[in-house]
Structures are given as structure tokens and as C-alpha cells.
Amino acid sequence: MNLSYLFDAAHWDPTLSGGIPQLILSHLGYVALALLIGTVIALPAGLYIGHTGRGSFLAINAGNAGRSLPTLGLLMLMVTLLGLGLTPVLIALSVLVIPPVLTSAYAGMRSLDQRVVDAARGMGMRPWQVLTRVELPMALPVLMSGFRSAALQVVATATVAAAVGLSGLGRLLIDGLAVNDYSRVLAGAIVVAVLAVGLDLLLALVQRWVVSPGLNPSPKGPS
Amino acid sequence: MITFEDVVKVYPGGSTAVDHLSLELPTGKTTVLVGPSGCGKTTSLRMINRMVRPTSGRVLIDGRDVAEQDEALLRRGIGYVIQHAGLFPHRTVLDNVATVPMLLGRTRKQARTDALGLLERVGLSAEFAKRYPAQLSGGQQQRVGVARALAADPPIMVMDEPFSAVDPVVREGLHREFLRLQKDLGKTIAMVTHDIDEAIKLGDVVAIFRQGGRLAQVGTPREVLANPADDFVAEFVGRDRGLRSLSFESAADLPVRPLSEVGDLELDDAGRPVGYGSFTRADSLRLVTDLAIISPAGIAVRVDAEGVADGIVRHHDLVDHLAARRREQP
Ligand SMILES: Nc1ncnc2c1ncn2[C@@H]1O[C@H](COP(=O)(O)OP(=O)(O)OP(=O)(O)O)[C@@H](O)[C@H]1O
Ligand SMILES: [Mg+2]
């Protein structure tokens, strides 16, 4: 067990296909697509359920169901049904994104101070304006924490893409195991971990930037 | 003018919140809806801006049924002050105040400039503009709530217990500012409170509700204090309504005695009384009575606009004056 693979400059050549930079790029590509698809599906659904209170059962149980779903199993099933390719991978990963986003969107909407929402209507905001100008900004802290946990999970799990012949950092693990190159496996594990931490830090910055300081427990004004 | 025409509101649970309410709120005046908790004040108020729909009957503004108007546009034309302020926590004070002007299509810059002026009007300096609601005290939040409701300069204001979340001293200050503002602005105001003193102080018209959402009496504060319609109203306005009704009596024609009648009356160099409570012609009989009761010698000193003593009133003069007044107006 050593770090020689990770620190070999040859593996960091950005032009090399199969080099670490290109693997990171394709890995992040899967992550971004899965987050996009999962969010596009789960966010409106969660907001709607939270807003109307209809289907709360679904939103609450989605979290538990999602955690217990084996992604690799789902991926194999998708490959059997759809054949090899990007689509089954994206489906399997998006399914991972849906529960945390759905649950947090639901919880965010439920946690809103209804007196403030009432005030927004009383000021003469139309339903769409109430949603975009008051409800969403107020629910954002909860929403962002759901999105961040989804992102963490997908970064770690996107390694499965390599199991069905695609690229991504999973290549280092699978190919390393195949040839008993544990230095390569270790390099893969470390890069995935660093990527996960880095992405979470980035999202934490985004959160600080998009969430109003007025929503912090003890807001510090720019006064 | 806001008109309630035989309005009934029954909530889905089956409880009748408002029971056949017919009421007119005159233009340019403050009408205070007052009554014990749960008697339907908030429900009635929220029917004006369509936040609540009547089960039957109509609410009209200047003859137009609110039910036939576009909900959002109607509300933008009615300033709404919400109990406990209801400010948007994610927006700065300035942007809270700018909410309705921006909905009406004013530019952000214009709306913010106007908002700054409004903050000043409600007694908040510019340093508050960039703060968030959570960084304000309860009283400051209430002021922002009032500024936000005033921002689009609506002809009508509905205010639900706007001064309830603050201590008596702050409330006193807010009352003074409210009366000063309303004198300038002359809005048509519907205000809810459960505090009869507040109602009498701020209302041109007082509408007293009783349990079950029924109107017990409508009138000027003076009428309500002088002639309660029934035992409920009499009880509600309080046992000391006689004393309280003196707030509406001017001290202007109260007879005074020369200063020389009081031997030990101490005056400073400018002629202002020292150690005695004083009143002016503009004050009420209630204040004079209060001063005369507190003073060990049983006298109140009248002063002119500069504070210079120009006469005294003895306790028994006051009693005679009140008795004479009673004889004149049975
Ligand atoms: N949304 C609602 N659904 C069902 N019942 C309601 C609803 N809102 C109010 N009520 C009931 O209607 C009655 C009148 O309520 P309302 O809020 O108008 O009283 P209020 O005079 O404003 O009281 P308070 O002084 O306590 O604010 C109460 O009995 C209350 O329980
Ligand atoms: Mg109320």
C-alpha cells in the first residue's frame, strides 16, 4: 500500500485519456447531470407537497426508502433493461439524489412561518410571487442542506459508472483491483474523498452567498 | 368609505366568527374594532382585503364589492399592518418597506429612496435601513410594519393590533406618532385592538364587538363612554368611564382664580410654577382633575403657551364646573 500512483506526475497529465484529471472531469460530469436531473424531478415535487400538504406520506418515506436502495443493484437492473451506456448510470444516480432533495424541499416548505406567508399575500403578492420572493428564499437553508447531502452521496457513488464500462474515478478502483494495483485503488479512493470534501466546501460557500443573512440564527448586519 | 352589509362568517369548523355585521367606516377617519378575544375582530378586518371571504353578505369599498375586484391589486391598494409585524426575515428593513411599491412596478432604486423617507416618518433613523428584522426590537419591528403598510401611500389601512407587542411606554410613543401621522395623512383606517383605552384614544369611531361576532355598539368614543348601549358595553368600557370621558372635555373654559390666592405659590424667574402640576387651555379636564387630586393643596396651576402661570383652579371649582356642565347637557 503506497501513494506512488497518486504522486506520479505522469498520471496527472491533463491530455492523457485515463489520466486522473480526465477521470475527475468525467466523474464530475456524471455528478452534475445526476444532480440536475434529480433536482428537476424532486424539487418541484417536494415544494408542491410541502406547500399543499398533499402526499406528505410520500415525502417523509422517500428519505428512508432512498437510503435503503442499493445503487449498484439498481444500476445492474437498468443495464439489463436498457443495455450499456450513460442512461442507466444517470438513472441510478438520479434516484440517489431524489430522496434528500424531495425531503428537504418538503421540510423547508413545512417549516415556513405561516404568518410571514400570510403577510406576503396580504401585501398583494400573487401566488407565484409568494413562492419565489418569500417561500423559496426562506426555505433555502433547509433546501441547501438537502442538496449538499445529495451531492456528497453522488460524488461517492458515481464510482459505479466504471462498473458498467464508463469512465470516472471508479476506473482507478476497478482497474486497480483487476490488476492488484492497490496503489491505484488508494489513489482513486483519496481523489474521490478530496473531491467530495471540496465540492461540499464549494456548496457551503454558495449557500453563504445565496441565503439571506437575515435567516441566520443571530444575523450580523452590514451596519 | 368601507361598508359591511349584513356580513356573516362561519368557519368550516362550524363556529360563527362574525354574525350579521353591518357597519360603515367613514372615509378619512380611524375606526377601531374592539372587543374581547375571539369575538371576530381579525376576521372582520381581513374581509376588507379579501384575506377572508364572507359566508354571506358583502364588503364594499366606495360602493364596489371587494369580491369583484382582482385580489392582488385590491390588496396592493390597502396598507396591511399585521399583528406581530409579520416582516420578511430574509429582507432588509429597507426592502421590507419597499415591497408594495416594487409590486406596483416602481424601480428598486425609487422604491428604496421612498422607503428611506418613510422610515424617518415612523421614527427610525437611516441606520436601521440595512438591518434585518431579527436585529430589531419588537417596537422597532412594529414601526417597520407600519412603514411597510404606508409605503405605496394607500388610501386605506387595515391594522391588526399594531401596537400590541410592546411595553406601555413604547406604546405610548407609538400612539402619539400614530395620531400625528394620521393628522397629516387622513387615511381611512380600520384598526383592531382588544384594549378599550387604545380604542378610545385612537378612534374617531369605536365599534365594540361581543362574543359570537356580534356588534354591540358603534359610536364616537365620547358617545360610547357617555351612553353605553347595554351592560356588556358598560362593563367593557370600564367602571371609571366617567373619569375617562373627561379626556374629551376641554379645560379652556374652566374658571380660574388669581395667583395671589395661593400664598406660598413658588414661581421661578420666568414666572413658571415650581412644585405644582400645570395645565394649558388645550389640555383636558381629566388632566386638571388628576393634578388637583395629586396636589396636597388641592389646586392645579394654569400656564400659558410659554409655561408662565396665569391662574389657579381649586378642587371644588372643578367639582362645581362639572356639576354645571352636567346640568347643561343631561
Ligand atoms: N381559520 C380559522 N378557522 C376556524 N376558526 C377560526 C379561524 N380563524 C378564527 N376562527 C375562530 O373565529 C372566531 C373569531 O376569531 P378572530 O381571530 O376573528 O377573533 P379576534 O376577535 O381577532 O380575537 P383576538 O383578540 O384573540 O385576536 C374565534 O372563535 C376563532 O377561534
Ligand atoms: Mg385577532
Side-chain angles (χ1 to χ4, degrees):
Chain A
M1 195 71 68
N2 60 63
L3 297 171
S4 57
Y5 192 95
L6 184 63
F7 289 131
D8 185 343
H11 297 138
W12 287 92
D13 179 356
T15 58
L16 183 72
S17 99
I20 294 177
Q22 293 213 354
L23 292 181
I24 290 178
L25 218 60
S26 56
H27 196 88
L28 285 178
Y30 304 145
V31 170
L33 278 173
L35 281 173
L36 183 74
I37 296 167
T39 305
V40 162
I41 294 169
L43 185 64
L47 294 177
Y48 177 82
I49 295 171
H51 188 78
T52 58
R54 260 175 273 168
S56 310
F57 172 81
L58 188 74
I60 294 163
N61 288 289
N64 303 326
R67 263 188 285 280
S68 51
L69 206 69
T71 304
L72 193 60
L74 182 65
L75 178 58
M76 293 312 167
L77 179 69
M78 286 298 142
V79 169
T80 329
L81 292 175
L82 303 169
L84 288 173
L86 188 59
T87 315
V89 171
L90 287 183
I91 291 177
L93 291 179
S94 302
V95 163
L96 206 61
V97 172
I98 290 172
V101 173
L102 183 73
T103 310
S104 68
Y106 166 80
M109 292 302 275
R110 288 274 108 178
S111 69
L112 294 176
D113 183 343
Q114 285 308 313
R115 293 176 306 180
V116 177
V117 177
D118 185 79
R121 294 199 305 123
M123 298 292 114
M125 289 191 192
R126 301 198 183 277
W128 179 251
Q129 294 171 321
V130 175
L131 179 71
T132 55
R133 299 186 188 190
V134 176
E135 293 181 316
L136 271 181
M138 278 168 62
L140 211 50
V142 181
L143 262 172
M144 278 301 292
S145 69
F147 186 78
R148 277 167 70 178
S149 80
L152 274 179
Q153 248 175 305
V154 176
V155 168
T157 316
T159 48
V160 296
V164 290
L166 264 63
S167 178
L169 291 165
R171 283 259 68 84
L172 296 176
L173 308 182
I174 299 224
D175 299 346
L177 281 175
V179 297
N180 288 337
D181 180 357
Y182 294 113
S183 173
R184 195 191 305 188
V185 174
L186 185 65
I190 290 175
V191 173
V192 168
V194 169
L195 208 58
V197 172
L199 186 63
D200 195 49
L201 276 176
L202 183 74
L203 287 175
L205 279 178
V206 170
Q207 180 166 1
R208 267 182 58 175
W209 185 59
V210 296
V211 171
S212 160
L215 297 173
N216 294 338
S218 58
K220 293 211 171 51
S223 49
Chain B
M1 186 167 63
I2 303 168
T3 315
F4 286 82
E5 264 185 14
D6 199 29
V7 171
V8 174
K9 177 66 192 182
V10 182
Y11 279 111
S15 70
T16 303
V18 176
D19 194 2
H20 295 283
L21 173 68
S22 292
L23 180 65
E24 284 189 349
L25 290 73
T27 301
K29 298 268 195 276
T30 304
T31 303
V32 182
L33 315 184
V34 62
S37 190
C39 66
K41 306 180 295 289
T42 298
T43 303
S44 302
L45 193 78
R46 284 163 64 85
M47 288 197 271
I48 297 173
N49 61 0
R50 273 189 73 178
M51 294 298 281
V52 171
R53 271 153 216 243
T55 309
S56 70
R58 304 193 298 166
V59 179
L60 312 162
I61 295 178
D62 295 330
R64 285 184 65 204
D65 189 343
V66 294
E68 283 157 16
Q69 302 180 36
D70 178 274
E71 210 166 52
L73 295 183
L74 172 80
R75 289 173 186 157
R76 289 172 199 174
I78 300 177
Y80 186 22
V81 183
I82 297 129
Q83 200 169 351
H84 304 304
L87 299 178
F88 303 129
H90 60 293
R91 291 191 177 178
T92 61
V93 164
L94 200 65
D95 286 338
N96 262 283
V97 177
T99 303
V100 181
M102 298 237 325
L103 286 174
L104 289 170
R106 243 164 274 174
T107 64
R108 183 180 296 262
K109 196 165 167 245
Q110 184 61 49
R112 282 183 171 166
T113 314
D114 295 350
L116 216 51
L118 265 162
L119 283 179
E120 210 170 301
R121 271 211 107 127
V122 299
L124 289 175
S125 60
E127 65 170 294
F128 290 99
K130 289 257 149 52
R131 293 210 201 165
Y132 288 93
Q135 299 168 306
L136 302 181
S137 73
Q140 290 161 349
Q141 291 187 20
Q142 303 255 11
R143 286 168 202 249
V144 177
V146 173
R148 182 175 65 174
L150 281 170
D153 198 18
I156 298 175
M157 304 268 288
V158 300
M159 314 176 86
D160 196 351
E161 307 207 20
F163 310 123
S164 63
V166 291
D167 66 67
V169 178
V170 174
R171 187 177 315 160
E172 186 74 19
L174 290 172
H175 282 168
R176 264 200 305 278
E177 279 162 39
F178 172 83
L179 289 170
R180 174 177 58 78
L181 270 175
Q182 172 63 351
K183 210 167 137 208
D184 291 357
L185 303 176
K187 307 265 182 205
T188 304
I189 296 178
M191 183 191 290
V192 161
T193 176
H194 53 246
D195 178 356
I196 183 69
D197 285 314
E198 187 169 81
I200 284 169
K201 194 161 159 198
L202 304 183
D204 298 306
V205 177
V206 178
I208 301 177
F209 284 64
R210 68 167 89 235
Q211 287 303 346
R214 275 167 310 164
L215 193 58
Q217 187 171 4
V218 190
T220 64
R222 210 175 170 138
E223 285 164 4
V224 169
L225 284 175
N227 300 308
D230 56 23
D231 290 348
F232 167 78
V233 177
E235 175 80 12
F236 190 74
V237 297
R239 297 237 173 93
D240 57 345
R241 65 190 166 87
L243 183 58
R244 251 194 273 136
S245 67
L246 291 181
S247 336
F248 305 106
E249 306 289 337
S250 159
D253 43 0
L254 195 61
V256 295
R257 295 164 180 272
L259 296 173
S260 55
E261 274 201 17
V262 184
D264 63 347
L265 183 64
E266 197 187 323
L267 300 176
D268 67 10
D269 295 343
R272 287 185 284 257
V274 180
Y276 279 97
S278 61
F279 67 97
T280 68
R281 286 169 184 272
D283 283 316
S284 72
L285 283 186
R286 186 175 178 174
L287 176 68
V288 183
T289 310
D290 200 54
L291 294 172
I293 291 170
I294 289 171
S295 151
I299 62 169
V301 182
R302 190 175 75 184
V303 298
D304 62 15
E306 271 74 51
V308 178
D310 67 357
I312 59 152
V313 173
R314 286 192 184 277
H315 203 203
H316 56 83
D317 297 336
L318 196 60
V319 176
D320 292 346
H321 181 72
L322 291 177
R325 190 187 62 121
R326 190 80 62 227
R327 277 194 298 279
E328 279 163 28
Q329 34 168 272

